[in-house]
Coordinates of all heavy atoms in Angstrom, one line a residue:
Chain A
I296 N 77.0 203.2 236.9 CA 77.8 202.1 237.4 C 79.1 202.6 238.0 O 79.5 202.2 239.1 CB 78.0 201.0 236.3 CG1 76.7 200.3 235.9 CG2 79.0 200.0 236.8 CD1 76.8 199.4 234.7
L297 N 79.7 203.4 237.2 CA 81.0 204.1 237.7 C 80.8 204.8 239.0 O 81.6 204.8 239.9 CB 81.5 205.0 236.6 CG 82.6 204.5 235.6 CD1 82.9 205.5 234.6 CD2 83.8 204.0 236.3
C298 N 79.7 205.5 239.0 CA 79.3 206.3 240.2 C 79.2 205.4 241.4 O 79.7 205.8 242.5 CB 78.0 207.1 239.9 SG 77.6 208.3 241.2
A299 N 78.5 204.3 241.3 CA 78.4 203.4 242.4 C 79.7 202.9 242.8 O 80.0 202.8 244.0 CB 77.5 202.2 241.9
K300 N 80.6 202.6 241.9 CA 81.9 202.1 242.2 C 82.7 203.1 243.0 O 83.4 202.8 244.0 CB 82.7 201.7 241.0 CG 82.2 200.4 240.4 CD 82.9 200.0 239.1 CE 82.4 198.7 238.5 NZ 83.0 198.3 237.2
E301 N 82.7 204.4 242.6 CA 83.5 205.4 243.2 C 82.9 205.7 244.6 O 83.6 206.1 245.5 CB 83.5 206.7 242.4 CG 84.4 206.6 241.2 CD 84.8 207.9 240.7 OE1 84.8 208.9 241.4 OE2 85.3 208.0 239.5
L302 N 81.6 205.6 244.7 CA 80.9 205.8 246.0 C 81.4 204.8 247.0 O 81.6 205.2 248.2 CB 79.4 205.7 245.8 CG 78.5 206.4 246.7 CD1 78.8 207.9 246.7 CD2 77.0 206.2 246.3
I303 N 81.5 203.6 246.6 CA 82.0 202.5 247.5 C 83.5 202.8 247.9 O 83.9 202.7 249.0 CB 81.9 201.1 246.8 CG1 80.4 200.8 246.6 CG2 82.6 200.1 247.7 CD1 80.2 199.6 245.7
K304 N 84.3 203.1 246.8 CA 85.7 203.2 247.0 C 86.1 204.5 247.9 O 86.9 204.4 248.8 CB 86.4 203.4 245.7 CG 87.9 203.2 245.7 CD 88.5 203.1 244.3 CE 88.9 204.5 243.8 NZ 89.6 204.4 242.5
N305 N 85.4 205.6 247.6 CA 85.8 206.9 248.2 C 85.0 207.3 249.4 O 85.4 208.1 250.2 CB 85.9 208.0 247.2 CG 86.9 207.7 246.1 OD1 87.9 207.1 246.3 ND2 86.6 208.1 244.9
Y306 N 83.7 206.8 249.4 CA 82.8 207.4 250.4 C 82.1 206.3 251.2 O 81.0 206.6 251.9 CB 81.8 208.3 249.8 CG 82.4 209.5 249.1 CD1 82.5 209.6 247.7 CD2 83.0 210.5 249.8 CE1 83.1 210.6 247.1 CE2 83.6 211.6 249.2 CZ 83.6 211.7 247.8 OH 84.2 212.8 247.2
N307 N 82.6 205.0 251.2 CA 82.0 204.0 252.0 C 80.5 203.9 251.7 O 79.7 203.7 252.6 CB 82.2 204.2 253.5 CG 81.9 203.0 254.3 OD1 82.0 201.9 253.8 ND2 81.6 203.2 255.6
S308 N 80.1 204.1 250.5 CA 78.7 204.0 250.0 C 77.8 205.0 250.6 O 76.6 204.9 250.5 CB 78.1 202.6 250.3 OG 78.8 201.6 249.6
I309 N 78.3 206.1 251.2 CA 77.5 207.1 251.7 C 77.5 208.3 250.8 O 78.6 208.8 250.5 CB 77.9 207.5 253.2 CG1 77.8 206.3 254.1 CG2 77.1 208.7 253.7 CD1 78.4 206.4 255.4
I310 N 76.4 208.8 250.4 CA 76.3 210.0 249.5 C 76.9 211.2 250.2 O 76.5 211.6 251.3 CB 74.9 210.3 249.1 CG1 74.1 209.0 248.7 CG2 74.8 211.4 248.1 CD1 74.7 208.4 247.5
P311 N 78.0 211.8 249.6 CA 78.5 213.0 250.2 C 77.5 214.2 250.2 O 76.7 214.3 249.3 CB 79.7 213.3 249.3 CG 79.5 212.6 248.0 CD 78.6 211.4 248.4
D312 N 77.7 215.1 251.2 CA 76.7 216.1 251.4 C 77.1 217.5 250.9 O 76.6 218.5 251.3 CB 76.2 216.2 252.8 CG 77.3 216.5 253.8 OD1 78.5 216.6 253.3 OD2 77.0 216.8 254.9
S313 N 78.2 217.5 250.1 CA 78.6 218.8 249.6 C 78.7 218.8 248.1 O 79.0 217.8 247.4 CB 80.0 219.2 250.1 OG 81.0 218.3 249.5
I314 N 78.5 220.0 247.5 CA 78.5 220.1 246.0 C 79.9 219.8 245.5 O 80.0 219.1 244.5 CB 78.1 221.6 245.6 CG1 76.6 221.8 245.9 CG2 78.4 221.8 244.1 CD1 76.2 223.2 245.6
S315 N 80.9 220.2 246.2 CA 82.3 220.0 245.7 C 82.6 218.6 245.6 O 83.4 218.1 244.7 CB 83.3 220.8 246.6 OG 83.2 220.3 247.9
K316 N 82.2 217.7 246.5 CA 82.4 216.3 246.4 C 81.5 215.6 245.4 O 81.9 214.7 244.7 CB 82.2 215.7 247.8 CG 83.3 216.0 248.8 CD 83.1 215.4 250.2 CE 84.2 215.8 251.1 NZ 83.9 215.3 252.5
L317 N 80.3 216.0 245.4 CA 79.3 215.4 244.5 C 79.7 215.6 243.0 O 79.6 214.6 242.2 CB 77.9 216.0 244.7 CG 77.2 215.4 246.0 CD1 76.0 216.3 246.3 CD2 76.7 214.0 245.8
I318 N 80.2 216.7 242.6 CA 80.5 217.0 241.2 C 81.7 216.2 240.7 O 81.9 216.1 239.5 CB 80.6 218.5 240.9 CG1 81.7 219.1 241.7 CG2 79.4 219.3 241.0 CD1 82.0 220.6 241.4
K319 N 82.4 215.6 241.6 CA 83.5 214.8 241.2 C 83.1 213.4 240.8 O 83.8 212.7 240.2 CB 84.6 214.7 242.4 CG 85.3 216.0 242.6 CD 86.3 215.8 243.8 CE 86.9 217.1 244.1 NZ 87.6 217.1 245.5
L320 N 81.9 213.0 241.2 CA 81.3 211.7 240.8 C 80.9 211.7 239.3 O 80.4 212.7 238.8 CB 80.2 211.3 241.7 CG 80.5 211.1 243.2 CD1 79.3 211.1 244.1 CD2 81.4 209.9 243.4
P321 N 81.1 210.6 238.7 CA 80.7 210.5 237.2 C 79.2 210.7 237.0 O 78.4 210.1 237.7 CB 81.1 209.1 236.9 CG 82.0 208.6 237.9 CD 81.7 209.3 239.2
G322 N 78.9 211.6 236.1 CA 77.5 211.8 235.8 C 76.8 212.9 236.6 O 75.7 213.3 236.3
I323 N 77.5 213.3 237.6 CA 77.0 214.4 238.5 C 77.7 215.7 238.1 O 78.9 215.9 238.3 CB 77.2 214.1 240.0 CG1 76.6 212.8 240.4 CG2 76.6 215.3 240.8 CD1 75.2 212.9 240.7
G324 N 76.9 216.7 237.6 CA 77.4 218.0 237.3 C 76.9 218.9 238.4 O 76.3 218.5 239.4
R325 N 77.0 220.2 238.2 CA 76.6 221.2 239.2 C 75.1 221.2 239.4 O 74.6 221.3 240.5 CB 77.1 222.6 238.8 CG 77.0 223.5 239.9 CD 78.0 224.7 239.9 NE 77.7 225.4 241.1 CZ 78.5 225.3 242.2 NH1 79.6 224.6 242.2 NH2 78.1 225.9 243.3
K326 N 74.4 221.1 238.3 CA 72.9 221.1 238.4 C 72.4 219.9 239.3 O 71.6 220.1 240.2 CB 72.3 221.1 237.0 CG 70.8 221.1 237.0 CD 70.2 219.7 236.9 CE 68.7 219.7 237.0 NZ 68.2 218.3 236.9
S327 N 72.9 218.7 239.0 CA 72.5 217.5 239.7 C 73.0 217.6 241.2 O 72.2 217.2 242.1 CB 73.1 216.3 239.0 OG 72.6 216.1 237.7
A328 N 74.2 218.1 241.4 CA 74.7 218.2 242.8 C 73.8 219.1 243.6 O 73.5 218.8 244.8 CB 76.1 218.8 242.8
N329 N 73.3 220.2 243.0 CA 72.4 221.1 243.8 C 71.1 220.4 244.1 O 70.5 220.6 245.2 CB 72.1 222.3 242.9 CG 73.1 223.4 243.2 OD1 73.1 224.0 244.3 ND2 74.0 223.7 242.3
V330 N 70.6 219.6 243.2 CA 69.3 218.8 243.4 C 69.5 217.8 244.6 O 68.7 217.7 245.5 CB 68.9 218.1 242.1 CG1 67.6 217.2 242.5 CG2 68.5 219.0 241.0
V331 N 70.7 217.1 244.6 CA 70.9 216.1 245.6 C 71.0 216.7 247.0 O 70.4 216.3 247.9 CB 72.2 215.3 245.2 CG1 72.6 214.4 246.4 CG2 72.0 214.5 244.0
I332 N 71.8 217.8 247.1 CA 72.0 218.4 248.4 C 70.7 219.0 249.0 O 70.4 218.9 250.2 CB 73.1 219.5 248.5 CG1 72.8 220.7 247.6 CG2 74.5 218.9 248.2 CD1 73.5 221.9 248.1
S333 N 69.8 219.5 248.1 CA 68.6 220.1 248.6 C 67.6 219.0 249.1 O 67.0 219.2 250.1 CB 68.0 221.0 247.6 OG 67.8 220.3 246.4
H334 N 67.5 217.9 248.3 CA 66.5 216.9 248.7 C 67.0 215.9 249.7 O 66.3 215.4 250.5 CB 66.0 216.2 247.4 CG 65.1 217.1 246.6 ND1 65.5 217.4 245.3 CD2 64.1 217.9 246.8 CE1 64.6 218.2 244.8 NE2 63.7 218.5 245.7
A335 N 68.3 215.5 249.6 CA 68.9 214.5 250.4 C 69.2 215.0 251.8 O 69.1 214.3 252.8 CB 70.1 213.8 249.8
F336 N 69.7 216.3 251.8 CA 70.2 216.8 253.1 C 69.6 218.1 253.5 O 70.0 218.7 254.5 CB 71.7 217.1 252.9 CG 72.5 215.8 252.5 CD1 73.0 215.7 251.2 CD2 72.6 214.8 253.4 CE1 73.7 214.6 250.8 CE2 73.3 213.6 253.0 CZ 73.8 213.5 251.7
N337 N 68.5 218.5 252.8 CA 67.8 219.8 253.1 C 68.8 221.0 253.2 O 68.6 221.9 254.0 CB 67.1 219.6 254.4 CG 65.9 220.6 254.5 OD1 65.4 221.1 253.5 ND2 65.5 220.9 255.7
K338 N 69.8 220.9 252.4 CA 70.7 222.1 252.3 C 70.3 223.0 251.1 O 69.7 222.5 250.2 CB 72.2 221.6 252.1 CG 72.8 220.9 253.3 CD 74.3 220.6 253.0 CE 74.9 220.2 254.3 NZ 76.4 220.0 254.2
P339 N 70.7 224.3 251.2 CA 70.3 225.2 250.1 C 71.0 224.8 248.8 O 72.2 224.9 248.6 CB 70.8 226.5 250.6 CG 71.8 226.2 251.6 CD 71.4 224.9 252.3
G340 N 70.1 224.4 247.9 CA 70.6 224.1 246.5 C 69.8 224.9 245.5 O 68.6 225.1 245.6
F341 N 70.5 225.4 244.5 CA 69.7 226.1 243.4 C 70.1 225.5 242.1 O 71.2 225.8 241.5 CB 70.0 227.6 243.4 CG 69.1 228.3 242.4 CD1 67.8 228.5 242.7 CD2 69.7 228.9 241.3 CE1 67.0 229.2 241.8 CE2 68.9 229.5 240.4 CZ 67.5 229.7 240.6
A342 N 69.3 224.6 241.6 CA 69.6 223.9 240.3 C 69.2 224.7 239.1 O 68.1 225.1 239.0 CB 68.8 222.6 240.3
V343 N 70.2 225.0 238.3 CA 69.9 225.8 237.1 C 69.8 224.9 235.9 O 70.8 224.4 235.3 CB 71.1 226.8 236.8 CG1 70.8 227.7 235.6 CG2 71.2 227.7 238.0
D344 N 68.6 224.6 235.5 CA 68.3 223.8 234.4 C 67.8 224.7 233.2 O 67.9 225.9 233.3 CB 67.2 222.7 234.7 CG 65.8 223.3 234.6 OD1 65.7 224.5 235.0 OD2 64.9 222.6 234.1
T345 N 67.4 224.1 232.1 CA 67.0 224.9 231.0 C 65.9 225.9 231.2 O 65.9 227.0 230.7 CB 66.6 224.0 229.8 OG1 66.2 224.7 228.7 CG2 65.6 222.9 230.2
H346 N 64.9 225.5 232.1 CA 63.8 226.4 232.4 C 64.2 227.6 233.3 O 63.8 228.7 233.0 CB 62.7 225.6 233.2 CG 62.1 224.5 232.5 ND1 61.3 224.7 231.4 CD2 62.1 223.2 232.7 CE1 60.9 223.5 230.9 NE2 61.4 222.6 231.7
V347 N 65.0 227.2 234.3 CA 65.5 228.3 235.2 C 66.3 229.3 234.4 O 66.1 230.5 234.6 CB 66.4 227.6 236.3 CG1 67.0 228.7 237.2 CG2 65.6 226.7 237.2
K348 N 67.2 228.8 233.5 CA 68.0 229.7 232.7 C 67.1 230.6 231.8 O 67.3 231.8 231.7 CB 68.9 228.8 231.9 CG 70.0 229.6 231.1 CD 71.0 228.7 230.4 CE 70.4 227.8 229.4 NZ 71.4 227.0 228.6
R349 N 66.1 230.0 231.2 CA 65.3 230.7 230.3 C 64.5 231.8 231.0 O 64.4 233.0 230.5 CB 64.3 229.7 229.5 CG 63.4 230.4 228.5 CD 62.6 229.4 227.7 NE 61.6 228.7 228.6 CZ 61.7 227.4 228.9 NH1 62.7 226.7 228.5 NH2 60.8 226.9 229.7
I350 N 63.8 231.4 232.1 CA 62.9 232.4 232.8 C 63.7 233.6 233.4 O 63.3 234.7 233.2 CB 62.1 231.7 233.8 CG1 61.2 230.7 233.2 CG2 61.2 232.7 234.6 CD1 60.3 230.0 234.2
L351 N 64.8 233.2 234.0 CA 65.6 234.3 234.6 C 66.2 235.3 233.6 O 66.3 236.5 233.9 CB 66.7 233.7 235.5 CG 66.2 232.9 236.8 CD1 67.3 232.4 237.6 CD2 65.3 233.9 237.6
N352 N 66.5 234.8 232.4 CA 67.0 235.6 231.3 C 65.8 236.5 230.7 O 66.0 237.6 230.4 CB 67.7 234.8 230.3 CG 69.2 234.6 230.6 OD1 70.0 235.6 230.5 ND2 69.5 233.5 231.1
R353 N 64.7 235.8 230.5 CA 63.6 236.5 229.9 C 63.1 237.7 230.8 O 62.8 238.8 230.3 CB 62.4 235.6 229.6 CG 62.5 234.8 228.4 CD 61.3 233.8 228.2 NE 61.4 233.2 226.9 CZ 60.6 232.2 226.5 NH1 59.7 231.8 227.3 NH2 60.8 231.6 225.3
T354 N 63.0 237.4 232.1 CA 62.5 238.4 233.0 C 63.5 239.5 233.2 O 63.1 240.6 233.6 CB 62.2 237.7 234.4 OG1 63.3 237.0 234.8 CG2 61.0 236.8 234.3
G355 N 64.8 239.2 232.9 CA 65.8 240.2 233.1 C 66.4 240.2 234.5 O 67.1 241.1 234.9
V356 N 66.1 239.1 235.3 CA 66.8 238.9 236.6 C 68.3 238.7 236.4 O 69.1 239.2 237.2 CB 66.1 237.8 237.4 CG1 66.9 237.4 238.6 CG2 64.7 238.1 237.7
V357 N 68.6 238.0 235.4 CA 70.0 237.8 235.1 C 70.2 238.1 233.6 O 69.3 238.2 232.8 CB 70.6 236.4 235.4 CG1 70.3 236.0 236.8 CG2 69.9 235.4 234.4
D358 N 71.5 238.3 233.2 CA 71.8 238.5 231.8 C 73.0 237.7 231.4 O 74.0 238.2 231.0 CB 72.0 240.0 231.5 CG 72.2 240.2 230.0 OD1 71.8 239.4 229.2 OD2 72.8 241.3 229.6
T359 N 72.9 236.4 231.6 CA 74.0 235.4 231.2 C 73.4 234.0 231.0 O 72.4 233.7 231.7 CB 75.1 235.4 232.3 OG1 76.0 234.3 232.0 CG2 74.5 235.1 233.6
K360 N 74.0 233.3 230.1 CA 73.6 231.9 229.9 C 74.4 231.0 230.7 O 74.1 229.8 230.7 CB 73.7 231.5 228.4 CG 73.0 232.5 227.4 CD 71.5 232.4 227.5 CE 70.8 233.3 226.5 NZ 69.4 233.5 226.7
N361 N 75.4 231.5 231.4 CA 76.3 230.6 232.1 C 75.7 230.2 233.4 O 75.4 231.0 234.3 CB 77.6 231.4 232.4 CG 78.6 230.5 233.1 OD1 78.4 230.0 234.2 ND2 79.8 230.3 232.5
P362 N 75.4 228.9 233.6 CA 74.7 228.4 234.8 C 75.4 228.7 236.1 O 74.7 228.9 237.1 CB 74.6 226.8 234.5 CG 74.8 226.7 233.1 CD 75.7 227.8 232.7
D363 N 76.7 228.6 236.1 CA 77.4 228.9 237.3 C 77.2 230.3 237.8 O 77.0 230.6 239.0 CB 78.9 228.6 237.1 CG 79.2 227.1 236.9 OD1 78.2 226.3 236.9 OD2 80.4 226.7 236.8
R364 N 77.3 231.2 236.8 CA 77.1 232.7 237.2 C 75.6 232.9 237.6 O 75.4 233.7 238.5 CB 77.4 233.5 235.9 CG 78.8 233.8 235.8 CD 79.1 234.7 234.6 NE 80.2 234.2 233.8 CZ 80.3 234.5 232.5 NH1 79.4 235.2 231.8 NH2 81.4 234.0 231.8

Side-chain angles (χ1 to χ4, degrees):
Chain A
I296 293 172
L297 267 176
C298 189
K300 287 179 178 171
E301 286 202 20
L302 207 55
I303 295 167
K304 194 172 91 177
N305 299 327
Y306 299 105
N307 195 25
S308 297
I309 297 171
I310 311 299
D312 63 351
S313 72
I314 291 177
S315 57
K316 287 179 182 172
L317 283 166
I318 57 179
K319 290 177 185 167
L320 294 168
I323 304 277
R325 190 151 188 105
K326 181 261 173 183
S327 297
N329 270 290
V330 175
V331 171
I332 63 158
S333 57
H334 293 122
F336 305 109
N337 203 23
K338 287 190 171 183
F341 188 72
V343 180
D344 80 323
T345 174
H346 297 293
V347 174
K348 186 170 68 174
R349 182 176 65 252
I350 299 183
L351 292 180
N352 274 285
R353 278 181 175 171
T354 51
V356 171
V357 304
D358 185 22
T359 172
K360 307 291 183 190
N361 184 300
D363 292 2
R364 278 181 223 153

